[in-house]
Amino acid sequence: VTFVLSKDGTEIARMQTGQPLSFAAPLEGTHVVQARLFGESRFSPILGRDPQIVTGKLKSTGDYVSRAFRCGTGKKVMVTTEEYVPTGATVSVAVQTAPDTWTSAVVSEEEQIGSGWVRRQRFVPCGAATTKIKIDLSGTPAARPLVRNISGVILNA
């Protein structure tokens, strides 16, 4: 089973069941989705009764804020992330160093871990009793940043 997306009789994309599909720019107007089934005399495709195609609209920016954790004076926060940041996207990390005060965390170490992913470490002095980590993301449909395996560790300064 192949799903075909078209507009005004022109094919735009083909997709298989469960396959995510991203576009470089938002789609506008009315589109047609067809299910095309291919098989052989011994192997017949099956299309479920209620196929679904889910669409969404991406925002160009987003953020993540961790829950608060203990820090204290004379300590520093080590933030480690794994990031995929294609050209045209950005990822910035900050640590809450006082109430309503976020300090930008500059990359101090990075390591390529494969398939475009990079492990990055950042260190920020902490003076607050508790702290949080904030990650700001920006991108486009063609350049979507991804962050995984986020950790924050308190170290003696």
Side-chain angles (χ1 to χ4, degrees):
V1 177
T2 300
F3 293 94
V4 179
L5 176 67
S6 60
K7 181 176 182 180
D8 299 329
T10 303
E11 183 177 310
I12 296 173
R14 290 177 174 253
M15 61 199 121
Q16 302 297 315
T17 301
Q19 176 186 358
L21 192 60
S22 297
F23 297 97
L27 299 179
E28 296 180 3
T30 302
H31 292 74
V32 174
V33 177
Q34 294 177 318
R36 295 196 181 153
L37 288 73
F38 301 93
E40 298 179 7
S41 59
R42 296 183 332 157
F43 301 102
S44 177
I46 298 173
L47 179 62
R49 185 175 104 180
D50 298 315
Q52 293 182 340
I53 296 202
V54 179
T55 63
K57 185 174 182 180
L58 298 175
K59 289 187 171 186
S60 60
T61 62
D63 66 0
Y64 162 81
V65 179
S66 74
R67 63 183 181 184
F69 54 96
R70 289 188 207 152
C71 191
T73 56
K75 309 281 184 181
K76 63 181 168 182
V77 181
M78 177 181 73
V79 179
T80 304
T81 56
E82 291 180 2
E83 303 171 16
Y84 176 79
V85 188
T87 302
T90 63
V91 172
S92 63
V93 176
V95 173
Q96 189 175 31
T97 53
D100 299 323
T101 303
W102 294 91
T103 301
S104 183
V106 178
V107 175
S108 61
E109 297 177 29
E110 65 180 28
E111 170 191 6
Q112 300 290 327
I113 55 176
S115 300
W117 286 86
V118 179
R119 180 177 297 116
R120 293 191 167 108
Q121 283 188 334
R122 299 164 170 95
F123 297 88
V124 175
C126 182
T130 60
T131 188
K132 298 177 188 176
I133 298 168
K134 182 177 182 182
I135 300 175
D136 288 305
L137 307 167
S138 69
T140 67
R144 296 175 61 189
L146 303 170
V147 179
R148 66 183 185 196
N149 295 334
I150 303 163
S151 70
V153 177
I154 304 302
L155 304 171
N156 289 323

